[in-house]
Amino acid sequence: MTAGGVALAAVVAGAGIWVSQADDEGSQSVTDSGMPSAHGGAGAAAAPGAEAANSGPLSELDKTFLVKVRQAGLWEIPAGRMAQTQASSEAIKRAGTHLLDGHSKLDQLVREDAKALSSSIPDEASAEQQAWVRQLKAADGEKFDQLFVDLLRASHGKIFITIGEVRAATKNHLVRRLAQVTNDTVMDHMTVLEDTGLVTDAVLDDVGASVPK
């Protein structure tokens, strides 16, 4: 082989090594929803327990946040389903679809994180949230539309406040990531609810009254 041929072979071999390294570095484990898994991929260097142990301290506010995110899905997913059959407005049905999609993905992530962090989360919505679901079940048409927007916009506005507190102060990177995903989901849901044109000043005043002074 000539000197030029040896040099070319070396370049090709080096390029192959670089591509292999890039593929390894660019790979990331994701859930079916497209969000990073709380536990990493099968080839991750650390086991789930090790990652949770290295994710930072878990505060009481962090634990409360995990509970709130879980409970939100437990009542808002049924609410989103009801919107498909009981609403009179296409805008309400669209908002319900966003609730179904957003909270299904978010619920998967919070369950993964809670398991990794050995933090207890509930299997049912709060008593107040269950009462909201019963109210929605009893409503239909335009009455359902307004009740749906009143309940969902108020609850999203209030959890939005909690998200800010958690995202600003948490020292746990799993909780920080969950807060970011929750923030994006809640922003989307508030927007589609506002797009219905049914959000009232009374609802916004109620949310405003819960903002820490």
Side-chain angles (χ1 to χ4, degrees):
M1 183 180 291
T2 65
V6 171
L8 178 60
V11 170
V12 171
I17 294 171
W18 180 86
V19 169
S20 176
Q21 291 174 336
D23 287 343
D24 289 341
E25 292 170 0
S27 65
Q28 180 182 30
S29 174
V30 295
T31 64
D32 291 339
S33 66
M35 295 183 295
S37 169
H39 303 155
E51 181 182 359
N54 295 327
S55 63
L58 195 65
S59 70
E60 288 304 313
L61 179 58
D62 293 341
K63 294 176 184 178
T64 298
F65 180 62
L66 291 169
V67 169
K68 286 182 177 293
V69 173
R70 172 65 169 155
Q71 287 182 318
L74 289 169
W75 86 274
E76 291 181 34
I77 290 174
R81 290 197 189 101
M82 282 187 275
Q84 307 311 306
T85 58
Q86 294 173 233
S88 66
S89 163
E90 288 301 319
I92 298 295
K93 293 178 182 179
R94 175 172 176 265
T97 299
H98 278 244
L99 290 179
L100 281 168
D101 182 57
H103 280 290
S104 294
K105 294 173 181 177
L106 198 56
D107 189 66
Q108 179 180 339
L109 186 59
V110 72
R111 285 186 286 109
E112 284 187 8
D113 286 348
K115 182 177 180 180
L117 295 167
S118 298
S119 187
S120 178
I121 54 175
D123 289 325
E124 61 180 20
S126 70
E128 181 179 37
Q129 291 165 339
Q130 291 179 47
W132 294 339
V133 171
R134 289 194 295 271
Q135 291 178 47
L136 287 169
K137 285 181 178 178
D140 205 357
E142 292 183 359
K143 181 180 178 181
F144 176 91
D145 294 352
Q146 189 63 62
L147 181 61
F148 180 88
V149 172
D150 287 349
L151 293 174
L152 272 301
R153 181 55 180 83
S155 64
H156 279 81
K158 291 173 182 177
I159 191 63
F160 193 60
I161 298 166
T162 302
I163 295 169
E165 295 176 356
V166 173
R167 181 63 182 82
T170 186
K171 297 176 182 177
N172 186 285
H173 80 75
L174 292 181
V175 174
R176 187 178 299 124
R177 180 193 60 181
L178 178 64
Q180 184 66 51
V181 176
T182 305
N183 180 78
D184 295 343
T185 302
V186 170
M187 280 289 290
D188 172 69
H189 292 176
M190 289 196 298
T191 299
V192 293
L193 288 165
E194 290 158 2
D195 287 345
T196 66
L198 296 177
V199 177
T200 64
D201 288 348
V203 166
L204 297 179
D205 288 342
D206 177 49
V207 174
S210 67
V211 176
K213 299 297 189 286

